[in-house]
Amino acid sequence: MATTPETPVAEVTNAKSESSTFAGPNEPTPVMPYAANFAIAPLLEPRLEEGARDRTMILNMGPQHPSTHGVLRLVLEIDGETVLRVVPDIGFLHTGIEKTCEAKFYQQVVPMTDRIDYLCPMTNNLCYCLAVEKLLQLELPPRAQYLRVLLNELTRLQSHLVWLGTHAMDIGALTVFLYCFREREELLKIFEHVSGQRMMGSYFRVGGVSMEPPVDFYERVQNLLNIMPSKIDEYQNLLTGNPIWISRTKGVGHLSAEDAIALGVTGPPLRASGVDWDLRRDMPYSGYENFQFKVPISNDCDVWARYVIRMDEMRESVKICQQALDGMPGGPLKADAPKVVLPDREVMKTQMESLIYHFKIVTEGFAVPAGEVYQAIESPRGEMAYYVVSDGTAKPYRVHMRNPSFATLQAVDKMCAGRLLADVVAVIGSIDIVLGEIDR
Amino acid sequence: MQDAYDKAAVLAKYGANPAIQAIQAAQPDALLDAKFDRGELTLKIAREHIRAAATLVQKAGYNFLEDVTCVDYYPLEPRFQVIYHILSHRLKARVRLAVPVESIDPEVDSITPVWPSADFYEREVFDLFGIRFGGHPNLRRIMMPDEWEGHPLRKDYPVEGYR
C-alpha cells in the first residue's frame, strides 16, 4: 500500500490511491471498496466450542507438497488422525491469462490457452477455437473436425496416463508411474511429430489446424492404438486386484450425486457419482456426433469408482481414435475463410490476393463480429468452457475460462471431512487436479 | 439478426422455454431483457432479483451452475455485467443470466444458498472485479494476495507496466 502505515484502513480505502496511474481519460476512477475493507483473517481457525481450543489442530499441507499436484495449499483442521475441515488456498500460479488475452489478437490467444492446463493443451486449443469459430459462425471441413477429435482423444489418453501414474504414486504404487510414462512418451512424440512441440503445440487455429500432419503421422498413431489396449490391461493388472490399492480407494472420498451437482463437479468425478452426463455425447461439438462410444458411469461415488471410470474412458478414447483414423475424410484442413485463416505458404508466395490477406491477418488480426458465446467441451477433467465476448474488433473484449478443477476443488472438503488424513492424498489424486488451470 | 436482440421478439419466439416461463410467471419484473444469439439464450435480470431468478431457473430444471463471471464495460454504465451460465442436464440446454451492476457500490446478492458451487466463482469475481456478493459465506480474495490493491480484470487496470 502506498499510504503511510499510520493511516487507518477505512481512510485508505475511501481516498483515491496515490499509486494508481491508470485512471480513465479525464475522469477520476470511482472510489471502489478494496479488499482492505475486509478483515484478513486466517483461512481456518480451531473451533472454540466446549472451551477445548486445543482439541483440534490446524495443519498446513502444501503448497510444495509433492502429492498436491502442483502448488495447492490445503489448510486442514484435524482431530488426531481425523480430518474435520479442509480449506483450499489457491492462486499461487495466477498469471492473469484472462487479462493478457484482452491485449492480444484472436489468433495470438491460442498459445496462451496451451499454458492453462499443461496436461491437455490441445483440449484448451480446441475449446478456444470452437468459441471463436462460433462467434464468426465459421463452418469447418470434416477432415479438420476429425483430426481435432483424434488429437483430442490422444490428449485425453495422455492426461489420464499422467493422472494414473501420479495418483498411484501418491498412494504408494511407484511402478505404475514408470509404465504410464512409457506410453505417455510415445504420445508426446506423436504430438511433437504433428505440431513441433511435445506439450505446448498450439496446433489448432481459428478455422482449422496450423498445417498438414506429416506423412507417417497416421501410421504412428495406428501403431500406438494397436498396443494401447494391452497396455491399459497391464496397468489394471498392477492395480485392480491389488489389496493395498483396494483398501486405499474403496469407500474413500464419498461424494453423492446431489453434492456433486451442487458443488459444480464435472467429468469423471461426476460420472463416478452416478450422473450420466458427458458433453461429447449430450451436447456434441466438433463432429463428436459421428462417433460411437460408451460413457462409463458408476454409482460407487468413491475414489475407486473414479479410477474405474477413467480406465474405461481410456479404452473408449482408443476406440474413438480408431474411428477417427478409419473414417478420416479427405479434403481441406482449413475453413474457407481467407480473411480469418492464414493462407498456405505456397499460395501466399504466388498469389497477390493471398499475400494481402496474410499481411492483414498478421499485422492487424481479423475482426470478429460483436457478441458473446459460451463454448463448453469435455476435457479429461470435466467440463471446460470458454466464454468469449467480442466488441467487433480484432482483440477479444473478454476471455473467461471455466475450468473443471476449479469447481471440483470445492468438493474436497465434502469428500475428506470425517475421514483419515491419509485419505486426503487419495482424494486429491482422484479428482485429477491441475493447478495451472485453476489459477490461470 | 435484429430479432435476436429484441426482448419482445425473443419472448414471443422462445416463450415456451422453461427458464423464461418460470421467471415470467413468478417474477416478471426481474426480467429486464432477453436475447437469443448464436444459439444461446441470455436473460438480463435485475440486480435485486438475481437470487430469486436463480431459484426459479433451478426449479425449472436448470440444475447445474457452470460458471459465474463478469464483464467490465467501462466507461459505460451500468459498468459491470455479472454473468451466470446454468446448464440443464435434462433439457440438454443452458441459459445465461446477465446482471447489470452500477460502478457505484457494486454489490449483488450471492447465489451460494442456491448453488454452493458459486462460492469460488463469486470470490474470483470479487477478487478480480471488486464486486461484492451479499450473503457470501467467505468473501475474500482467491487469486491475488490478500493485501493486493486494485482489481486486475477491470478495464482501467493496465495489462502491463507498473501500476
Side-chain angles (χ1 to χ4, degrees), chain B residues 60-128:
Chain B
Y62 289 84
N63 59 334
F64 191 86
L65 177 77
E66 292 178 297
D67 192 21
V68 181
T69 185
C70 180
V71 186
D72 179 5
Y73 288 102
Y74 181 80
L76 297 179
E77 284 294 341
R79 180 174 170 177
F80 301 105
Q81 273 202 13
V82 182
I83 310 276
Y84 303 81
H85 287 102
I86 303 164
L87 176 75
S88 166
H89 284 161
R90 185 165 51 81
L91 305 166
K92 297 187 180 177
R94 60 172 64 90
V95 62
R96 177 188 299 132
L97 306 183
V99 178
V101 182
E102 301 278 341
S103 62
I104 306 295
D105 189 26
E107 179 159 347
V108 186
D109 278 345
S110 165
I111 60 160
T112 43
V114 190
W115 279 289
S117 60
D119 182 347
F120 273 21
Y121 289 108
E122 289 181 347
R123 275 176 69 188
E124 191 188 338
V125 172
F126 164 71
D127 185 356
L128 303 178

Side-chain angles (χ1 to χ4, degrees), chain A residues 22 32 41 383 397-398 402, chain B residues 66 70 72 140 154 156:
Chain A
F22 50 86
M32 294 292 161
E383 182 191 318
Y397 192 76
R398 171 105 172 88
R402 186 255 190 236
Chain B
E66 292 178 297
C70 180
D72 179 5
R140 61 192 299 156
R154 288 185 170 191
D156 55 359

Side-chain angles (χ1 to χ4, degrees), chain A residues 17 22 24 29 32 35 41 90 99 134-135 262-263 282 372 374 383 397-398 400 402 410 438, chain B residues 35 38 40 66-67 69-70 72 74 85 92 103 117 140-143 149 152 154-157 163:
Chain A
S17 172
F22 50 86
T29 318
M32 294 292 161
I90 59 177
K99 182 80 176 172
K134 200 168 170 185
L135 269 174
L263 291 166
D282 295 315
E372 50 185 340
Y374 182 85
E383 182 191 318
Y397 192 76
R398 171 105 172 88
H400 172 74
R402 186 255 190 236
Q410 301 187 70
I438 290 178
Chain B
K35 70 170 182 178
R38 294 176 175 90
E40 297 179 4
E66 292 178 297
D67 192 21
T69 185
C70 180
D72 179 5
Y74 181 80
H85 287 102
K92 297 187 180 177
S103 62
S117 60
R140 61 192 299 156
R141 286 192 181 264
I142 187 165
M143 298 294 182
E149 201 180 316
R154 288 185 170 191
K155 285 285 177 185
D156 55 359
Y157 193 101
R163 280 188 301 127

